[in-house]
């Protein structure tokens, strides 16, 4: 048998064992396995992953090919900060600062940059923080952030940072921002009130309780916020302001003996006997009406 005929015979046998259809199926199988083993979109997979050595290596490889994947750089920086890898996080933030142009990305970059000295500061013993250079660095970086561009979770973090850095007004603004984004904002106004009260800012705290009342439809919760406002003002020695609030908003609650009694005792404490008699008279008439019903 000639070599030509032998070669033809071998090739013919190979095609007979693995024909074109089988090769096509095998090729499709390889593609399918590759699709299952490797993410269709590596960037999406990295965004959903927790940062570890392997994920970091993949992310760095991806960014060498796609250096302007700014969202991935932000996620990397966030996770690197949480891991205490500040130098690597700063590299990602520096790239964003130099190349990104969108205001939302730049604000997100400023937010994460503010976290760098803050997280380092929180790593110090509490008694050493005030004298550390990190304190001033954290305050300066914090003031570069616009909380309106952050999502709700980061706005709450922003508020916590503000309190720890001694910027109570920034924390209150953050609570107001969260309140504006919620269908039931009263809880955030109460949080602002508690924070202000803890710092002895009684008038501002009472105003926050009144905002909570104004944004509340439940009668019992409205009454509770009204009474909290009165109690806060009285605790701060602001009796005239408390009486003014009672006179302006009290009529809504004149049918409730507990509120009338509270207003009467407040008027007595303020030395306003005319107001005290007015509330006492309404309380007696209310008690009489209830007695007649009985």
């Amino acid at each position: 048998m000639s070599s030509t005929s032998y070669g033809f015979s071998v090739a013919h046998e190979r095609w007979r064992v693995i024909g074109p259809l089988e090769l096509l199926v095998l090729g499709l199988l390889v593609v399918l396995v590759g699709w299952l083993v490797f993410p269709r979109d590596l960037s999406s997979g990295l965004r959903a992953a927790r940062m570890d050595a392997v994920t970091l290596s993949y992310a760095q490889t991806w960014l060498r090919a796609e250096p302007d994947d700014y969202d991935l750089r932000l996620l990397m920086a966030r996770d690197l900060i949480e891991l205490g890898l500040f130098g690597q996080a700063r590299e990602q933030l520096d790239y964003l600062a130099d190349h990104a142009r969108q205001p939302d990305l730049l604000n997100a970059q400023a937010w994460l940059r503010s976290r760098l000295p803050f997280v380092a500061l929180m790593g110090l013993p509490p008694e050493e923080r005030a004298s550390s250079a990190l304190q001033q660095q954290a305050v300066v970086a914090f003031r570069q952030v616009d909380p309106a561009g952050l999502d709700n979770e980061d706005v709450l973090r922003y508020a916590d940072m503000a309190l720890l850095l001694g910027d109570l007004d920034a924390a209150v603004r953050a609570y107001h921002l969260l309140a504006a984004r919620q269908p039931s904002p009263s809880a955030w106004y109460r949080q602002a009130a508690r924070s202000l009260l803890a710092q002895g800012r009684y008038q501002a705290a009472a105003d926050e309780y009144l905002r909570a009342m104004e944004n509340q439809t439940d009668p019992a919760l409205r009454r509770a916020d009204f009474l909290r406002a009165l109690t806060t003002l009285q605790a701060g020695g602001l009796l005239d302001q408390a009486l003014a609030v009672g006179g302006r908003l009290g009529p809504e609650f004149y049918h409730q003996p507990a509120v009338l009694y509270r207003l009467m005792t407040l008027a007595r404490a303020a030395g306003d006997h005319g107001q005290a008699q007015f509330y006492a008279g309404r309380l007696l008439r209310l008690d009489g009406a209830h007695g007649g019903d009985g």
Side-chain angles (χ1 to χ4, degrees), residues 262-281:
R262 181 73 183 83
L263 290 169
M264 181 185 68
T265 58
L266 176 64
R268 286 177 177 171
D272 190 331
H273 301 295
Q275 277 288 90
Q277 289 178 356
F278 171 78
Y279 291 127

Side-chain angles (χ1 to χ4, degrees), residues 164-293:
L164 289 166
L165 293 174
D167 194 339
L168 178 57
D169 289 332
V172 171
R173 288 194 296 272
Y175 293 137
H176 284 189
L177 181 58
L178 288 168
R181 295 178 179 181
Q182 305 296 323
S184 300
S186 295
W188 294 111
Y189 291 126
R190 294 187 197 106
Q191 181 62 49
R194 288 190 290 269
S195 298
L196 289 161
L197 190 55
Q199 297 297 320
R201 293 176 57 177
Y202 296 98
Q203 179 69 67
D207 290 342
E208 295 298 319
Y209 281 128
L210 293 177
R211 286 191 180 94
M213 173 189 162
E214 291 165 4
N215 286 274
Q216 180 61 248
T217 57
D218 182 276
L221 294 176
R222 286 179 63 83
R223 179 184 64 189
D225 287 325
F226 174 69
L227 292 175
R228 288 188 188 105
L230 295 181
T231 299
T232 298
L233 290 169
Q234 186 171 9
L238 305 172
L239 296 176
D240 289 341
Q241 290 90 325
L243 280 179
V245 169
R248 186 174 78 254
L249 301 176
E252 177 182 341
F253 308 101
Y254 280 174
H255 64 288
Q256 300 185 28
V259 175
L260 284 171
Y261 182 79
R262 181 73 183 83
L263 290 169
M264 181 185 68
T265 58
L266 176 64
R268 286 177 177 171
D272 190 331
H273 301 295
Q275 277 288 90
Q277 289 178 356
F278 171 78
Y279 291 127
R282 292 199 68 95
L283 184 59
L284 288 172
R285 287 196 297 274
L286 190 62
D287 285 346
H290 288 168
D293 292 342

